[in-house]
């Protein structure tokens, strides 16, 4: 393939120009702001991969687009540089994490510049720099002062591979999300953030933000709000009371046994001598199982009778008390009333251990639990009542109370590793845990220690770090040696960018008011219940302490799809299917890499890398470059056909860019070049083509702009299209999903039913609502309605 565009020479020239002129510096005192942000990467030793580039090219396209539309744009980049990946890489290299991380950051930055990404490097941050983690520690202290940071002995997820504790969210299918090592349960003293205090606000806030519905559903499920009742069961021949939370108080008459989690604090008091050995053996076995394994619906239920009986509060029947590992101590009260006729898990357990099964709602079958609603039976005076209506009445008779429960657990932030922000707490025998005085921040990491994983924090081996005095009483004391989960660092970084140079405050009041919240946030969907949930929690806390005046950090969120290897599998070095962007840029050029990645398919879709099709993007760049030189030599009057095609393309690129339909915007420009080659186009009109392409392919566009004798493309305005010139008879069509209106679109009146159906499937709100569900049928009333039937 013959290449006419000298990409290596041109790219080097424009990168130097942008750097020398500080072209993308963020405006002060913005009048019309647009804060466009990528989820920042951790700087791995492998450098950027093509999966990074798609998201970064997308946000860069938007940043350039809004600059040309008279917006003051903030488009920063930084580094999530603390944490296990960076530390493990340093161990592998036999060097200090500080040194390897710094080197990796330098490589990432050069790769980003080589891709033509218009970041304002004046705002760069790194979470592992003392200047940054000073403020991470400051946040910890503020949470501690408000009672939202606390330490307690707890059963935690221990990763044997990483030799550290993990939060529940970092355990996937019973394995560590990072190293895929085995997770075991350990009792350890750990630090937590009380995110549960914000459960309801985190839930309600989801209704106020423009996020993909799939992400909202993930967060709602993780928060897991349940409305039900709290009931108390007395224990036969004991003064103890067992409290349960249930969403089905209407089935209380069918409760035939009770189950406690193996960790429940009352077991030691209630187990009989005859059952003690068997119970202790079961508890030990349960402690070696992961939470995921214990709660899997399909696993065989096991349990042990502890020898004691509880009293059903409505019918005063004595029911046996079991322990079983399918009940978790961290959900509800760690105790359940078991109603086998109306709960699948309870039915399986009761069947296995030959326990009584009493149906109390019509619909039960002998071989299957009935979990729906219906009329009550075997429920004394409530027989015949609708089960939903009976809930409050039975709760009242049982002496219970209405209650709300959440699956969300407090955020475990302690890590027994080196490369993280030290927790700014001093332990004093007299005063207990005391926060470090703010004037002494940051508490810096010691560098003269062996940071290899030991099963405890390496900081504990540094006498100089550990031994200190109590900030409150002045007595000898010990520093906390755990470091913070790296998600703490990334839960507030978006607020720091506008105030990077502010050494006196975590973020300046003026800068924050001018730029926050983030207008457009782009990153992977894998962060749905980790980073995104934590960032929302921090933002609400900052509002509570009057640092900011908003509650949601990211007004609009869009996720970028995963780019698979050419073999349709996730890229990995072991599979040999990793595509290095450096190689692509070297052979084809940065513009081609950007165009190819955004052209491969819808922005949020998963898609495989196709090396063969990249040739088409390179051919387009060459044709555009050749056309620029031709237009320079012969400035002809634009033909009518050409003018119409150009204006239609400007309209489509405008609309598609704003809707993140980058692939169709690029497709329309590829179609336009064919029209340009066969029809006359003048310099001024070709300049409009350059302008709309420049946000996608900045190098060839800036060069073409220069070829036409123009200066500073970065100051050009986005071209407007002539509505009269492209006017056609159009119709506005409503789009329904399962009979309910979900959006509208405009299309030519001569369009076919198939074309109208395809257009309906692309309406953004419709795409978000369908969210991957299968369209099983479409009903098109031509020119009026498209009704999509989904399963």
């Amino acid at each position: 393939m013959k290449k006419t565009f000298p990409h290596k020479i041109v790219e080097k020239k424009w990168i130097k120009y942008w750097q020398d002129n500080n072209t993308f510096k963020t405006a002060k005192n913005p009048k019309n702001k647009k804060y466009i942000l990528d989820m920042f990467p951790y700087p791995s030793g492998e450098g950027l991969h093509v999966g990074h580039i798609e998201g970064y090219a997308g946000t860069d396209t938007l940043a350039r687009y809004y600059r040309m539309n008279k917006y003051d744009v903030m488009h920063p980049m930084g580094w999530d540089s603390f944490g296990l990946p960076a530390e493990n890489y340093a161990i592998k290299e036999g060097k200090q994490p500080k040194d390897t991380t710094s080197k990796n950051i330098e490589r990432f930055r050069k790769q980003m510049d080589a891709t033509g990404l218009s970041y304002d490097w004046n705002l760069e941050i790194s979470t592992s720099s003392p200047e940054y983690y000073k403020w991470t520690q400051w946040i910890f202290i503020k949470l501690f002062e408000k009672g939202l940071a606390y330490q307690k002995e707890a059963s935690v997820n221990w990763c044997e591979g990483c030799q550290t504790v993990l939060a529940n969210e970092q355990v996937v299918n019973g394995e560590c999300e990072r190293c895929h090592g085995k997770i075991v349960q350990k009792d350890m003293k750990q630090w937590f953030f009380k995110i549960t205090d914000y459960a309801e606000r985190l839930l309600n806030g989801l209704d106020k933000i423009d996020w993909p519905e799939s992400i909202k559903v993930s967060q709602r499920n993780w928060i897991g709000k349940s409305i039900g009742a709290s009931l108390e069961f007395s224990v036969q021949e004991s003064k103890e009371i067992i409290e349960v939370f249930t969403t089905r108080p209407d089935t209380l008459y069918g409760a035939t046994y009770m189950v406690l989690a193996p960790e429940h604090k009352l077991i030691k008091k209630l187990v009989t001598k005859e059952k003690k050995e068997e119970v202790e053996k079961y508890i030990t076995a349960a402690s070696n199982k992961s939470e995921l394994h214990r709660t899997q619906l399909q696993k065989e239920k096991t349990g042990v009778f502890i020898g004691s009986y509880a009293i059903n509060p409505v019918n005063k029947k004595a029911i046996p008390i079991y322990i079983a590992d399918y009940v978790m101590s961290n959900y509800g009260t760690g105790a359940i009333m078991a109603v086998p006729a109306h709960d699948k898990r309870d039915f399986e357990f009761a069947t296995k251990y030959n326990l009584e099964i009493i149906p109390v709602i019509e619909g039960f079958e002998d071989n299957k639990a009935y979990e729906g609603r219906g009329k009550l039976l075997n429920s004394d005076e409530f027989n015949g009542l609708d089960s939903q209506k009976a809930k409050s009445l039975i709760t009242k008779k049982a002496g219970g109370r209405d209650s709300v429960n959440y699956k969300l657990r407090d955020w475990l932030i302690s890590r027994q590793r080196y490369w993280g922000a030290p927790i700014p707490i001093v332990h004093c025998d007299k005063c207990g845990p005391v926060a470090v005085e703010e004037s002494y921040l940051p508490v810096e990491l010691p560098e003269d220690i062996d940071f290899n994983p030991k099963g405890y924090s390496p900081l504990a081996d540094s006498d100089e770090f550990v031994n200190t005095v109590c900030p409150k009483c002045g007595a000898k004391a010990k520093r906390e040696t755990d470091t913070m989960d790296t998600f703490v660092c990334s839960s507030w970084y978006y607020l720091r960018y506008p105030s990077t140079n502010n050494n006196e405050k975590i973020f300046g009041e003026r800068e924050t008011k001018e730029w926050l919240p983030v207008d457009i946030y782009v990153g992977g969907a894998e962060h749905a219940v980790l980073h995104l949930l934590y960032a929302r929690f921090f933002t609400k806390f900052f509002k509570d302490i009057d640092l900011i005046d908003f509650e949601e950090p990211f007004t609009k969120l869009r996720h970028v799809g995963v780019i698979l290897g050419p073999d349709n599998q996730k890229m990995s070095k072991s599979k040999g299917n990793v595509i290095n962007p450096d190689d692509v840029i070297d052979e084809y050029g940065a513009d081609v890499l950007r165009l190819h990645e955004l052209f491969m398919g819808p922005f949020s879709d998963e898609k495989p890398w196709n090396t063969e099709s990249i040739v088409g993007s390179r051919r387009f760049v060459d044709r555009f470059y050749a056309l620029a030189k031709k237009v320079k030599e012969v400035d002809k009057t634009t033909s009518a056909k050409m003018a119409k095609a150009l204006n239609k393309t400007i309209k489509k690129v405008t609309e598609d860019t704003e809707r993140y339909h980058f692939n169709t915007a690029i497709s329309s420009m590829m179609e336009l070049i064919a029209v340009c080659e066969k029809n006359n186009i003048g310099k001024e009109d070709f300049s409009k083509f350059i302008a709309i392409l420049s946000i996608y392919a900045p190098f060839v566009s800036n060069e073409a702009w220069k070829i036409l004798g123009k200066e500073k493309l970065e100051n050009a305005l986005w071209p407007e299209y002539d509505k009269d010139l492209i006017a056609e008879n159009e119709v506005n069509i409503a789009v329904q999903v399962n009979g309910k209106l979900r959006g509208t679109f405009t299309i030519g009146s001569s369009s076919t039913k198939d074309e109208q159906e395809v257009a309906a499937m692309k309406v953004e709100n419709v795409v978000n609502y369908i969210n991957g569900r299968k369209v099983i049928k479409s009903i098109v009333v031509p020119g009026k309605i498209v009704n999509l039937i989904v399963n």
Side-chain angles (χ1 to χ4, degrees):
M1 172 186 164
K2 184 180 178 182
K3 299 173 184 175
T4 60
F5 176 57
H7 66 269
K8 293 182 180 180
I9 296 171
V10 171
E11 288 166 4
K12 185 176 180 180
K13 178 177 78 173
W14 288 108
I15 290 170
K16 185 176 187 304
Y17 171 84
W18 293 327
Q19 290 175 343
D20 290 348
N21 290 277
N22 209 1
T23 301
F24 308 118
K25 185 176 181 180
T26 305
K28 290 186 177 180
N29 308 119
K31 297 180 177 63
N32 192 23
K33 71 101 174 176
K34 191 71 73 171
Y35 185 174
I36 301 171
L37 186 62
D38 299 283
M39 292 183 186
F40 65 171
Y42 75 83
S44 69
E46 287 77 24
L48 287 176
H49 56 73
V50 292
H52 286 115
I53 302 298
E54 184 185 13
Y56 300 160
T59 57
D60 191 65
T61 294
L62 293 170
R64 291 175 180 273
Y65 171 76
Y66 283 109
R67 288 190 193 106
M68 295 182 79
N69 279 278
K70 301 181 182 179
Y71 282 86
D72 292 315
V73 173
M74 175 175 284
H75 188 40
M77 177 50 73
W79 317 104
D80 192 9
S81 50
F82 262 148
L84 286 175
E87 183 176 326
N88 289 340
Y89 179 76
I91 292 170
K92 178 183 172 184
E93 294 292 305
K95 298 177 181 177
Q96 282 285 338
K98 183 178 75 170
D99 298 330
T100 55
T101 299
S102 177
K103 185 177 179 180
N104 292 344
I105 286 173
E106 185 179 348
R107 181 183 178 190
F108 267 59
R109 197 186 301 114
K110 286 182 178 178
Q111 287 182 297
M112 289 178 174
D113 285 340
T115 313
L117 302 175
S118 60
Y119 294 126
D120 179 1
W121 291 114
N122 301 289
L123 306 179
E124 182 181 13
I125 59 174
S126 176
T127 61
S128 59
S129 71
E131 294 79 14
Y132 182 90
Y133 71 72
K134 164 187 177 178
W135 297 111
T136 303
Q137 294 172 337
W138 183 88
I139 294 168
F140 182 99
I141 291 170
K142 294 303 169 188
L143 287 162
F144 181 73
E145 289 172 352
K146 297 293 183 180
L148 294 170
Y150 65 94
Q151 192 178 35
K152 71 171 183 179
E153 190 86 20
S155 178
V156 295
N157 304 307
W158 178 262
C159 174
E160 295 283 11
C162 295
Q163 288 287 290
T164 190
V165 166
L166 300 179
N168 287 337
E169 297 91 331
Q170 293 166 307
V171 178
V172 180
N173 297 326
E175 296 180 345
C176 170
E177 67 166 356
R178 291 289 187 194
C179 74
H180 305 292
K182 181 183 177 183
I183 301 298
V184 297
Q185 300 300 302
K186 274 191 176 185
D187 288 332
M188 297 176 69
K189 208 167 189 180
Q190 301 288 291
W191 284 95
F192 294 82
F193 287 160
K194 210 167 186 182
I195 192 174
T196 50
D197 278 12
Y198 287 77
E200 191 66 22
R201 286 167 66 184
L202 288 167
L203 201 58
N204 294 337
L206 291 169
D207 296 330
K208 303 170 186 175
I209 47 182
D210 181 5
W211 287 21
E213 190 59 30
S214 59
I215 300 292
K216 292 184 180 182
V217 168
S218 294
Q219 291 210 0
R220 289 188 184 107
N221 290 341
W222 193 261
I223 295 167
K225 181 179 181 179
S226 299
I227 299 174
S230 290
L231 306 172
E232 292 184 347
F233 287 68
S234 59
V235 179
Q236 207 173 54
E237 299 179 4
S238 171
K239 294 181 180 180
E240 301 295 339
I241 298 292
I242 301 174
E243 184 180 1
V244 304
F245 169 82
T246 177
T247 60
R248 298 297 305 271
D250 50 311
T251 65
L252 181 53
Y253 281 89
T256 58
Y257 64 99
M258 175 167 278
V259 183
L260 306 181
E263 303 84 5
H264 200 288
K265 62 184 179 181
L266 288 180
I267 293 174
K268 290 181 179 179
K269 295 181 179 180
L270 300 182
V271 64
T272 60
K273 290 181 180 179
E274 297 80 9
K275 290 291 182 178
K276 187 175 181 181
E277 183 177 349
E278 185 181 5
V279 167
E280 288 178 347
K281 184 178 179 181
Y282 186 86
I283 291 173
T284 300
S287 69
N288 291 320
K289 295 180 182 179
S290 70
E291 181 172 332
L292 178 76
H293 178 63
R294 285 174 57 177
T295 55
Q296 284 177 328
L297 290 175
Q298 66 271 26
K299 89 175 187 74
E300 184 182 1
K301 306 298 181 290
T302 62
V304 175
F305 175 49
I306 69 171
S308 296
Y309 291 82
I311 305 300
N312 188 317
V314 286
N315 57 21
K316 307 306 178 186
K317 288 185 178 179
I319 58 176
I321 303 172
Y322 280 73
I323 63 169
D325 62 14
Y326 75 86
V327 177
M328 305 303 298
S329 62
N330 60 6
Y331 180 72
T333 63
I336 66 165
M337 62 176 215
V339 185
H342 304 290
D343 182 273
K344 182 181 177 182
R345 294 184 309 171
D346 297 346
F347 180 83
E348 292 173 358
F349 191 93
T351 302
K352 180 175 181 177
Y353 292 102
N354 198 29
L355 297 167
E356 189 176 13
I357 300 174
I358 301 175
V360 292
I361 297 177
E362 293 178 355
F364 171 74
E365 300 174 9
D366 289 342
N367 62 347
K368 184 179 179 183
Y370 174 69
E371 296 181 325
R373 61 186 287 180
K375 291 185 177 180
L376 265 61
L377 49 86
N378 297 322
S379 299
D380 292 347
E381 69 266 33
F382 304 105
N383 287 342
L385 272 181
D386 177 79
S387 56
Q388 190 69 22
K389 294 180 179 178
K391 285 184 175 181
S392 60
L393 298 174
I394 292 177
T395 298
K396 185 177 181 180
K397 179 174 180 178
R401 67 183 190 280
D402 294 337
S403 184
V404 175
N405 193 66
Y406 300 92
K407 284 167 59 179
L408 180 68
R409 298 297 96 199
D410 281 343
W411 176 10
L412 170 60
I413 63 107
S414 290
R415 296 294 179 268
Q416 292 70 44
R417 296 292 292 258
Y418 169 73
W419 194 235
I423 294 175
I425 289 291
V426 170
H427 295 280
C428 173
D429 290 339
K430 178 182 177 183
C431 305
V434 181
V436 172
E437 293 180 8
E438 292 178 21
S439 60
Y440 285 93
L441 298 180
V443 176
E444 294 197 40
L445 282 170
E447 296 183 15
D448 58 342
I449 60 173
D450 175 13
F451 56 87
N452 283 277
K454 301 174 174 63
Y456 61 87
S457 174
L459 302 186
D461 290 337
S462 173
D463 291 338
E464 186 177 347
F465 177 84
V466 172
N467 295 317
T468 186
V469 295
C470 174
K472 189 177 287 186
C473 72
K476 289 182 179 180
K478 303 284 187 183
R479 287 194 190 280
E480 173 63 54
T481 57
D482 282 355
T483 54
M484 285 187 247
D485 176 11
T486 185
F487 279 106
V488 179
C489 305
S490 62
S491 292
W492 69 276
Y493 79 104
Y494 48 91
L495 283 156
R496 183 63 181 169
Y497 281 125
S499 304
T500 305
N501 298 317
N502 192 329
N503 297 319
E504 304 302 319
K505 293 183 178 180
I506 183 170
F507 26 83
E509 184 177 349
R510 177 185 61 80
E511 294 92 336
T512 304
K513 280 185 175 293
E514 287 177 343
W515 286 106
L516 274 297
V518 174
D519 296 290
I520 300 169
Y521 196 37
V522 173
E526 68 272 16
H527 296 294
V529 294
L530 286 165
H531 162 62
L532 291 171
L533 189 67
Y534 298 153
R536 296 182 62 229
F537 161 53
F538 267 36
T539 306
K540 294 180 192 307
F541 171 68
F542 292 145
K543 185 175 189 296
D544 288 350
I545 61 174
D546 298 322
L547 285 178
I548 58 177
D549 60 2
F550 54 92
E551 284 219 356
E552 292 293 340
F554 315 119
T555 304
K556 179 180 287 189
L557 172 75
R558 293 295 179 267
H559 58 248
V560 58
V562 174
I563 293 185
L564 305 173
D567 55 359
N568 266 312
Q569 296 190 41
K570 188 174 181 180
M571 290 189 188
S572 73
K573 292 177 72 176
S574 61
K575 294 174 184 173
N577 63 353
V578 174
I579 303 297
N580 187 331
D582 297 355
D583 297 336
V584 179
I585 290 174
D586 182 65
E587 183 173 358
Y588 296 102
D591 286 332
V592 175
L593 175 63
R594 292 166 62 119
L595 289 167
H596 180 61
E597 294 216 20
L598 294 178
F599 182 60
M600 286 166 63
F603 190 55
S604 61
D605 282 11
E606 183 177 86
K607 41 206 170 273
W609 180 267
N610 188 329
T611 303
E612 294 177 5
S613 66
I614 198 171
V615 175
S617 295
R618 174 67 207 207
R619 188 176 293 116
F620 168 69
V621 169
D622 284 331
R623 290 166 69 189
F624 182 83
Y625 179 69
L627 189 60
K629 293 199 290 186
K630 180 181 177 181
V631 170
K632 178 199 174 185
E633 294 168 3
V634 184
D635 184 12
K636 294 184 177 180
T637 303
T638 304
S639 68
K641 182 178 180 180
M642 184 70 247
K644 186 170 185 175
L646 174 63
N647 279 272
K648 287 182 71 174
T649 305
I650 293 171
K651 179 178 186 290
K652 181 159 182 59
V653 173
T654 302
E655 293 172 349
D656 285 355
T657 299
E658 291 186 350
R659 294 184 297 180
Y660 306 82
H661 296 173
F662 305 126
N663 58 323
T664 53
I666 293 169
S667 177
S668 68
M669 289 186 283
M670 289 180 170
E671 293 171 5
L672 181 64
I673 198 126
V675 181
C676 290
E677 290 171 335
K678 296 177 181 178
N679 295 272
N680 293 336
I681 181 168
K683 283 185 179 180
E684 288 307 310
D685 282 330
F686 189 69
S687 297
K688 295 177 183 178
F689 191 179
I690 295 174
I692 62 173
L693 178 62
S694 71
I695 64 174
Y696 289 89
F699 291 109
V700 71
S701 300
N702 272 270
E703 191 66 12
W705 194 259
K706 191 76 173 176
I707 288 171
L708 263 59
K710 293 177 172 289
E711 298 289 335
K712 294 190 175 181
L713 177 54
E714 62 268 22
N715 293 338
L717 296 178
W718 188 257
E720 295 182 359
Y721 57 86
D722 188 331
K723 294 180 181 179
D724 294 332
L725 193 60
I726 61 174
E728 293 180 356
N729 292 327
E730 294 182 328
V731 289
N732 194 46
I733 296 179
V735 187
Q736 296 179 338
V737 180
N738 292 342
K740 293 187 177 181
L741 181 66
R742 298 298 177 189
T744 62
F745 66 93
T746 301
I747 196 170
S749 57
S750 60
S751 58
T752 65
K753 289 175 65 175
D754 287 345
E755 288 171 337
Q756 292 175 19
E757 180 183 342
V758 170
M761 296 282 287
K762 293 181 179 179
V763 175
E764 184 171 12
N765 193 46
V766 173
V767 172
N768 291 338
Y769 188 78
I770 293 176
N771 190 30
R773 291 183 291 173
K774 187 176 180 181
V775 177
I776 56 178
K777 185 179 180 182
S778 64
I779 303 168
V780 181
V781 180
K784 293 183 178 179
I785 296 173
V786 177
N787 185 15
L788 304 172
I789 310 299
V790 301
N791 58 8

